Amino acid sequence: MDEKKVQNRMKKAVKYAVATGLLLLVTGVFFALFLRDTVNRTVDEQMQNETDEYVRRVNKQITYDLHLLETAASLLGDTNVTEEESFPEILGNAYEQNDFLSMGYFPRTGNGVVASVDGVREMMLTESQTEVQEVVAAALDGGKMVSDLFWSTLTQENVLVYGAPVEKD
């Protein structure tokens, strides 16, 4: 009889050991899944925060660039510099002193001046890309505008085009 009691106790002990092992395994799996979910959530939140900060900085830079362009447009409107023969050279010098990839001025006639890494040249508005034409049209109508990001054939880069009206007194 003692042997039977010992075998029963051994069976119970093995069952408890197996049950305890399974319980620990299930608990470990749930804990690992919980940790993975927590880490993924934290990473997602951090990425969203960094993206929001990046967008805020880009928008701040766009606003700054547009204000700079509006100031230049105001100066051009208050003078007759755009009518001078030396205007292309003046625009080229201005281009070299800033970080814009290109700069241009288009009067209502559509025959403008563009300064870029390739130098300064006269250019018809109709020769430029559609995105540029849309921004210039908005500026000629008295509004300021920033294009969507697009691939520029002039600069061979993704760019935004800014436009501001030059209002002559």
Side-chain angles (χ1 to χ4, degrees):
M1 229 109 109
D2 281 338
E3 200 173 299
K4 240 182 181 187
K5 283 184 179 181
V6 170
Q7 282 182 351
N8 284 339
R9 282 186 176 174
M10 286 294 277
K11 284 182 183 179
K12 281 184 182 180
V14 169
K15 287 180 184 177
Y16 284 128
V18 169
T20 303
L22 286 175
L23 182 63
L24 286 173
L25 178 65
V26 169
T27 303
V29 167
F30 281 119
F31 186 67
L33 291 174
F34 172 75
L35 283 177
R36 187 186 70 185
D37 185 54
T38 301
V39 167
N40 285 342
R41 219 174 318 122
T42 303
V43 168
D44 288 346
E45 287 174 8
Q46 183 63 29
M47 288 297 292
Q48 185 62 49
N49 290 340
E50 288 181 22
T51 301
D52 292 345
E53 177 62 19
Y54 181 75
V55 167
R56 188 188 67 75
R57 287 182 184 189
V58 167
N59 285 334
K60 187 175 182 180
Q61 183 64 46
I62 289 171
T63 301
Y64 171 79
D65 289 345
L66 196 53
H67 285 306
L68 182 65
L69 184 61
E70 288 174 319
T71 301
S74 175
L75 292 172
L76 290 175
D78 290 343
T79 65
N80 289 326
V81 70
T82 58
E83 309 300 324
E84 296 179 16
E85 281 187 39
S86 62
F87 179 67
E89 182 181 336
I90 293 169
L91 185 64
N93 290 337
Y95 165 76
E96 290 175 6
Q97 300 299 318
N98 67 62
D99 292 328
F100 289 116
L101 296 176
S102 65
M103 293 178 72
Y105 172 78
F106 289 94
R108 291 202 179 278
T109 63
N111 187 22
V113 179
V114 175
S116 70
V117 71
D118 296 330
V120 180
R121 68 181 182 106
E122 288 190 14
M123 180 179 192
M124 291 299 296
L125 181 58
T126 55
E127 296 174 49
S128 63
Q129 289 177 256
T130 305
E131 295 85 355
V132 175
Q133 292 179 31
E134 290 171 356
V135 170
V136 171
L140 289 173
D141 287 340
K144 59 184 178 182
M145 183 176 173
V146 178
S147 73
D148 290 332
L149 190 67
F150 71 97
W151 180 260
S152 168
T153 56
L154 181 67
T155 63
Q156 298 298 309
E157 293 185 44
N158 282 325
V159 297
L160 296 172
V161 175
Y162 302 89
V166 175
E167 298 173 1
K168 297 282 187 177
D169 291 331

